[in-house]
Amino acid sequence: MFSRPRVVSFVGVVGTGAAAAYLFWPDKTRHAPTVDDASLSPSHFTRATLTESRQSGTNTKLLVLTVPGFEKSKQNASQMAPIWSVYIKDDDIQVERPYTPLEGIDEQGRMHFWIKKYPKGEVARWLHSKEVGDQVEFRGPLSTWAWKEDTWDEIVMISGGTGITPFCQLLHSSFSRGGDSKTRFTLLHSSPTPSELPPPEILGTLSAYAKAHPEKFALHLFVDSRDDDRPVDVPSLEVGRIQKPTIERCLGLKPYSPWRNLFVQAPQKAPRKTLFLVCGPEPMINAIAGPYGRNFSQGPIGGILGELGYTSNEVRKL
Ligand SMILES: Cc1cc2nc3c(=O)[nH]c(=O)nc-3n(C[C@H](O)[C@H](O)[C@H](O)COP(=O)(O)OP(=O)(O)OC[C@H]3O[C@@H](n4cnc5c(N)ncnc54)[C@H](O)[C@@H]3O)c2cc1C
């Protein structure tokens, strides 16, 4: 159906737009010009310099792209509302892919990325091969999902692998301003093994938010197995996939008991106005929220969240 397989799925409230953009990458890459100034726009490419590149696991790197001469005050602030991404262009084959700056863009024009390389994947492999000092072109910002203050009592984020990156941006945006939002955030993240978890630079920041604002942010980390022994400096790490009892327990919907499930049939939803954002490998999205519809539209809500009674107004598959 699609020209390219999709490993990590990110389609948001502007889902159709994002999905359509995803489908038409090569065309857009050919037609968008490169502009020789530091302004950012989805309709032209801007040159950045790779200023840091560090291995952060077997297949992942932390990269920093810096836009020389960038002036944040001249950028349209509303375009920088979380969650946004940029399309990075592989200059060798003129193909682009979207990536999410972990903390947006700072005053010095720096964007931090956590990027996973796939064995036969094009753009991430090309990006991993770049060296500090090399130039990389990107266009954006493009909205992945539009955060609106005071709309939700609770945002529950469920991610797998590099699917955590949009949530890092959303949390950074809230907690770098002092965490004064009325919304409470919960993040359930899973990776296959400890060494594939996000690196300390990411987990350290998230743990610090959770420690400083326990009433506003709860972090729950999971690994499928402890097959390797990377020491992970986080308050708690559970072994096992994110399943229905996990979600119920983490959200305090009811104390989990396998016996209770025998007698209680009706799903119990959180009483507060809750939005679930789900981002990760497609099998994970399917299990948590049900599969996408045609052309990566949201599709009906299924999976665990469907069983719990959540509807399409309360769940976004990013
Ligand atoms: C809004 C958005 C934000 C994103 N943010 C991030 C981010 O912050 N970090 C991140 O790491 N990713 C992110 N992604 C995912 C990213 O855009 C790419 O999809 C991902 O890096 C793979 O792209 P690629 O060009 O390397 O691989 P592709 O070439 O697209 O290949 C993807 C997969 O298909 C397999 N494949 C490729 N060719 C073949 C073939 N011929 N036969 C069989 N299998 C094949 C590859 O091995 C790989 O598993 C984001 C996606 C979206 C939509």
Side-chain angles (χ1 to χ4, degrees), residues 4-5 7 10 22 85 97-100 114-116 118-124 144 162 165:
R4 281 178 185 276
V7 173
F10 301 70
Y22 205 77
S85 59
R97 294 283 185 275
Y99 295 97
T100 313
W114 186 46
I115 293 183
K116 179 169 177 176
Y118 300 94
K120 289 184 186 160
E122 302 285 3
V123 179
T144 306
T162 49
T165 56

Side-chain angles (χ1 to χ4, degrees), residues 230-252:
R230 172 188 150 193
V232 187
D233 184 18
V234 288
S236 80
L237 178 63
E238 293 183 40
V239 179
R241 289 225 158 132
I242 298 170
Q243 288 175 336
K244 190 171 160 191
T246 332
I247 294 177
E248 290 171 331
R249 176 168 48 79
C250 292
L251 296 187

Side-chain angles (χ1 to χ4, degrees), residues 24-235:
F24 295 111
W25 290 321
D27 259 354
K28 206 58 178 154
T29 311
R30 266 197 295 276
H31 293 123
T34 301
V35 167
D36 261 326
D37 66 29
S39 68
L40 309 193
S41 162
S43 55
H44 68 240
F45 284 98
T46 301
R47 283 185 235 276
T49 309
L50 182 66
T51 48
E52 280 183 46
S53 172
R54 255 174 310 139
Q55 201 72 40
S56 58
T58 327
N59 300 315
T60 57
K61 275 192 171 180
L62 284 166
L63 303 176
V64 180
L65 292 181
T66 304
V67 182
F70 177 71
E71 289 181 61
K72 201 164 182 174
S73 54
K74 290 193 179 161
Q75 199 66 36
N76 181 345
S78 68
Q79 284 187 313
M80 298 286 179
I83 301 169
W84 56 273
S85 59
V86 295
Y87 279 73
I88 295 179
K89 177 167 73 170
D90 173 343
D91 247 345
D92 292 347
I93 56 166
Q94 300 296 305
V95 166
E96 62 181 2
R97 294 283 185 275
Y99 295 97
T100 313
L102 296 165
E103 300 185 348
I105 187 163
D106 69 13
E107 300 290 340
Q108 283 75 42
R110 286 179 300 216
M111 292 180 286
H112 295 248
F113 296 92
W114 186 46
I115 293 183
K116 179 169 177 176
K117 171 177 85 166
Y118 300 94
K120 289 184 186 160
E122 302 285 3
V123 179
R125 210 155 38 95
W126 177 86
L127 264 174
H128 275 230
S129 75
K130 292 281 125 191
E131 292 184 0
V132 167
D134 286 349
Q135 286 208 330
V136 172
E137 291 182 26
F138 71 95
R139 63 182 183 91
L142 288 119
S143 180
T144 306
W145 174 77
W147 157 255
K148 286 199 188 71
E149 191 69 57
D150 295 335
T151 308
W152 304 96
D153 297 324
E154 174 116 25
I155 292 202
V156 181
M157 299 162 281
I158 303 179
S159 60
T162 49
I164 197 170
T165 56
F167 304 145
C168 293
Q169 193 191 96
L170 179 59
L171 291 164
H172 172 79
S173 155
S174 180
F175 290 110
S176 63
R177 285 183 284 117
D180 54 359
S181 164
K182 290 197 183 78
T183 306
R184 185 185 146 78
F185 298 93
T186 300
L187 171 61
L188 281 69
H189 174 81
S190 78
S191 290
T193 62
S195 64
E196 288 164 276
L197 278 168
E201 289 85 342
I202 292 179
L203 290 187
T205 305
L206 298 181
S207 300
Y209 295 152
K211 201 170 164 198
H213 306 277
E215 71 300 342
K216 287 282 170 63
F217 175 46
L219 173 64
H220 302 271
L221 295 168
F222 302 85
V223 286
D224 295 357
S225 74
R226 271 196 182 270
D227 276 354
D228 58 50
D229 50 10
R230 172 188 150 193
V232 187
D233 184 18
V234 288

